[in-house]
Amino acid sequence: MSREIYFKEEARDLLFNGVRRLTQAVSSTMGPNGKTVIISNQYGDPEITKDGVKVAREIYFKNPIENIGAKIVKEVAELQVDLAGDGTTTAIVLANAFIQNLKEFNSSDINKAFDAIIPTVIENLKEGSRKLEHKDIKYLASISANNDVKIGDIIQQAYNHASIIKVEESNDNEDSLELIDGMSLPVSYFSKHFINTNKKAECNFDEPYVLLIDGKLENLKSFEAPIKQIAENDKSLLIITEGLSENLLRLLESNVLSGSLKLCVIKSPGFSQYRKDLLRDIADFTGADLINNLNKQYTIESFGKLKSLKVTKNNSILVKDQELDISGYIDDLKALSKLKDLTKQDKELVEQRVSNLTGKVSIIKVGGVSEIEMKERKDRYDDAVLATACALEEGIVQGGGLALYHANQITAKSIKDLEHDSVELALLRSLNEPSNVINVPVLTDMFKENIIDPLKVTRCALENAVSVARTILSTDVVVLNERQWT
């Protein structure tokens, strides 16, 4: 196949134009007063969203070089989702600002400026941050949910009762909150092929069966009959094990990708003896047998059940079947923790096990008059919950893009002999673009106005934007397959 080669200005101008056009569409969703975007669907109803990454994913250009520029910037959004879960529009707006403002400078000077300035800006962001107070969760969540005070209030109520939050669709017209027993494990899926909710890189199941293995799995010969039964009844399965053979992992991935089995495999938590203790806890929590003999055949009765399951790239949330009573097991652990001959460390481990088994999950059930409305609101709930988790992790900064604006001003004062046409000044001006798009007065104290953003979201947006801008700004040649467009 012949190739077409585009050099210098011809290639760069088209790349930059693709970035600009993508950003123009995505930036309309930015900030608490951002607008929604309607996306047509060839096979169903149109989708209404204010999620920057969802908008970006749906944009393709006829010109292949413009499309390449857009695809590279989409990487900003995907990286942002992976690291922070929110702030995708900010990341894209920053990337475009860097590209448009720095495109006249040579790549060597651009890289030197990024290396010299961005670490200082991030340090100034951190110095201007604050801890998120529990009572202020509703303000942060409201801002992330497109200034929806009701969503902020419900997320505040959810955190008042539990530290684990789950968002689900509801058949009712109104939103509601349910508090149930749940357990959070610091483990994730063995393979990304088990993900069934691509937007958030999660695996979500309702009423999954649970196969609990004490050790490693080489094959599933001992469980062929019950797994076949699960697949034929269109049910889902969670396997918890210390490890999988390479051949078994590839087989399970193939079954999931073909749609013949709804499955997720996660690693058993903990180490050594503590791992065995946690597995016994999970066995009681799910009603599953803890299996360590793989030389016999098992039936479905050896499998446990959950009300629901959510596995993210960082942890797994197990929601208990409400019909299962584990109060006696918990009482036994509480009595064990009070034994005088336990070491301090052993006592802390037992208390942690009790905490895991008695944990609560706040489930937000999102309603709506129509399916379109419900899905759009659920997207906003998801974004707000992720933003809140980020804020609890690293703290908050002023919202409306002003955190970057003020960090920019402080950084600029620390640079000596800053010339008006320098690459450094062009870079610093790019940092003001989020506040320019949102159009907020720069003298406003956003902390007093309760307009706040998570530090982690802002920091990751900046780092991801810089990464992609470096790539595009250093490009001088584009090689394409033979021209296929008119």
Side-chain angles (χ1 to χ4, degrees):
M1 180 181 291
S2 61
R3 299 276 187 164
E4 293 189 5
I5 305 176
Y6 292 79
F7 296 96
K8 297 186 181 296
E9 285 75 16
E10 185 180 15
R12 288 164 64 86
D13 287 348
L14 287 169
L15 281 174
F16 299 156
N17 197 47
V19 173
R20 180 189 59 77
R21 292 177 65 194
L22 175 76
T23 305
Q24 189 175 1
V26 172
S27 63
S28 65
T29 69
M30 189 171 187
N33 296 316
K35 303 297 188 291
T36 55
V37 174
I38 300 176
I39 302 171
S40 67
N41 189 335
Q42 185 176 358
Y43 302 104
D45 294 329
E47 186 171 5
I48 302 173
T49 185
K50 188 181 171 289
D51 185 356
V53 70
K54 183 171 287 187
V55 175
R57 284 171 179 161
E58 297 296 327
I59 293 176
Y60 298 90
F61 299 125
K62 192 172 184 180
N63 184 290
I65 301 181
E66 288 188 353
N67 205 43
I68 289 172
K71 281 184 176 180
I72 294 173
V73 173
K74 287 179 190 181
E75 292 181 15
V76 172
E78 299 297 343
L79 283 169
Q80 187 69 16
V81 168
D82 287 344
L83 293 172
D86 195 14
T88 51
T89 305
T90 300
I92 291 174
V93 166
L94 279 171
N96 179 63
F98 288 139
I99 290 165
Q100 306 302 336
N101 291 335
L102 300 176
K103 61 186 179 184
E104 301 302 328
F105 298 93
N106 71 66
S107 59
S108 177
D109 290 341
I110 291 170
N111 286 327
K112 287 179 182 178
F114 277 138
D115 292 339
I117 292 174
I118 297 303
T120 304
V121 173
I122 291 174
E123 193 58 37
N124 288 329
L125 278 174
K126 292 178 179 178
E127 290 182 3
S129 67
R130 299 180 182 178
K131 178 183 177 181
L132 176 64
E133 300 295 334
H134 187 83
K135 63 181 178 61
D136 293 332
I137 286 175
K138 59 185 176 183
Y139 301 120
L140 179 89
S142 296
I143 294 294
S144 183
N146 199 13
N147 228 14
D148 192 318
V149 175
K150 182 179 178 181
I151 288 179
D153 285 340
I154 289 181
I155 290 176
Q156 177 75 68
Q157 293 174 38
Y159 271 100
N160 288 345
H161 297 292
S163 59
I164 304 172
I165 313 298
K166 198 168 181 285
V167 181
E168 296 181 352
E169 297 178 359
S170 170
N171 294 324
D172 297 328
N173 291 343
E174 298 295 325
D175 303 339
S176 60
L177 184 65
E178 182 181 358
L179 186 67
I180 59 177
D181 297 327
M183 174 187 291
S184 179
L185 303 175
V187 292
S188 184
Y189 32 69
F190 270 94
S191 168
K192 288 188 176 182
H193 293 301
F194 298 140
I195 292 171
N196 64 4
T197 309
N198 288 323
K199 177 194 168 188
K200 302 299 181 184
E202 297 173 353
C203 179
N204 290 280
F205 288 142
D206 289 324
E207 300 183 349
Y209 284 91
V210 180
L211 175 58
L212 189 59
I213 304 296
D214 181 9
K216 297 182 179 180
L217 264 180
E218 297 293 331
N219 57 67
L220 292 175
K221 292 180 180 179
S222 298
F223 312 102
E224 288 179 351
I227 290 177
K228 181 180 179 181
Q229 181 181 341
I230 290 169
E232 288 176 346
N233 291 323
D234 198 29
K235 299 296 184 179
S236 53
L237 172 63
L238 169 67
I239 298 177
I240 304 176
T241 179
E242 185 179 337
L244 293 170
S245 68
E246 189 70 18
N247 288 339
L248 179 57
L249 179 59
R250 297 294 165 254
L251 175 64
L252 294 176
E253 289 174 338
S254 175
N255 277 274
V256 170
L257 292 173
S258 68
S260 59
L261 181 62
K262 297 176 182 178
L263 170 78
C264 188
V265 186
I266 64 174
K267 187 177 179 63
S268 50
F271 300 94
S272 189
Q273 181 58 43
Y274 186 53
R275 169 181 283 156
K276 294 184 179 298
D277 291 338
L278 289 178
L279 287 174
R280 282 194 288 270
D281 295 345
I282 296 171
D284 273 85
F285 190 83
T286 62
D289 293 342
L290 180 54
I291 295 172
N292 51 29
N293 179 6
L294 299 176
N295 295 318
K296 56 178 284 190
Q297 293 297 309
Y298 291 90
T299 66
I300 198 72
E301 280 68 33
S302 294
F303 288 50
K305 285 291 292 287
L306 289 168
K307 178 180 174 62
S308 66
L309 168 73
K310 174 180 175 180
V311 183
T312 74
K313 58 186 175 63
N314 295 318
N315 59 23
S316 301
I317 298 172
L318 283 58
V319 178
K320 188 172 75 66
D321 185 336
Q322 298 305 295
E323 295 181 359
L324 194 63
D325 183 9
I326 62 171
S327 57
Y329 185 77
I330 293 172
D331 289 341
D332 290 343
L333 280 179
K334 288 180 178 179
L336 178 62
S337 69
K338 296 176 182 178
L339 294 178
K340 293 182 179 180
D341 56 349
L342 280 183
T343 66
K344 181 179 179 181
Q345 182 181 10
D346 288 341
K347 183 176 181 180
E348 289 175 352
L349 290 175
V350 174
E351 290 174 346
Q352 180 60 49
R353 291 170 61 193
V354 172
S355 177
N356 286 342
L357 289 165
T358 57
K360 298 293 181 182
V361 176
S362 286
I363 297 183
I364 299 171
K365 297 190 173 182
V366 184
V369 176
S370 66
E371 184 177 1
I372 292 176
E373 179 192 359
M374 182 268 293
K375 288 185 178 297
E376 188 274 332
R377 284 180 58 78
K378 184 175 183 295
D379 279 344
R380 289 194 281 139
Y381 266 108
D382 284 334
D383 287 345
V385 169
L386 287 168
T388 303
C390 287
L392 291 169
E393 182 181 349
E394 291 192 14
I396 54 174
V397 293
Q398 293 195 65
L402 289 193
L404 283 168
Y405 174 86
H406 291 307
N408 169 16
Q409 300 300 305
I410 296 170
T411 304
K413 291 177 182 178
S414 68
I415 301 175
K416 295 181 179 179
D417 303 323
L418 190 62
E419 299 178 5
H420 74 280
D421 59 350
S422 66
V423 63
E424 290 83 6
L425 186 58
L427 190 159
L428 289 168
R429 284 174 179 163
S430 302
L431 297 172
N432 296 336
E433 191 63 17
S435 61
N436 292 339
V437 172
I438 298 172
N439 193 22
V440 294
V442 297
L443 297 179
T444 306
D445 185 341
M446 292 301 197
F447 284 127
K448 288 185 178 180
E449 298 294 327
N450 292 315
I451 300 176
I452 49 182
D453 286 333
L455 167 61
K456 182 177 181 179
V457 168
T458 305
R459 174 182 62 77
C460 289
L462 176 57
E463 292 172 344
N464 292 329
V466 169
S467 174
V468 174
R470 283 183 193 262
T471 299
I472 291 185
L473 288 167
S474 64
T475 300
D476 218 26
V477 177
V478 176
V479 181
L480 296 175
N481 291 332
E482 184 178 9
R483 183 180 292 226
Q484 298 290 329
W485 76 97
T486 57

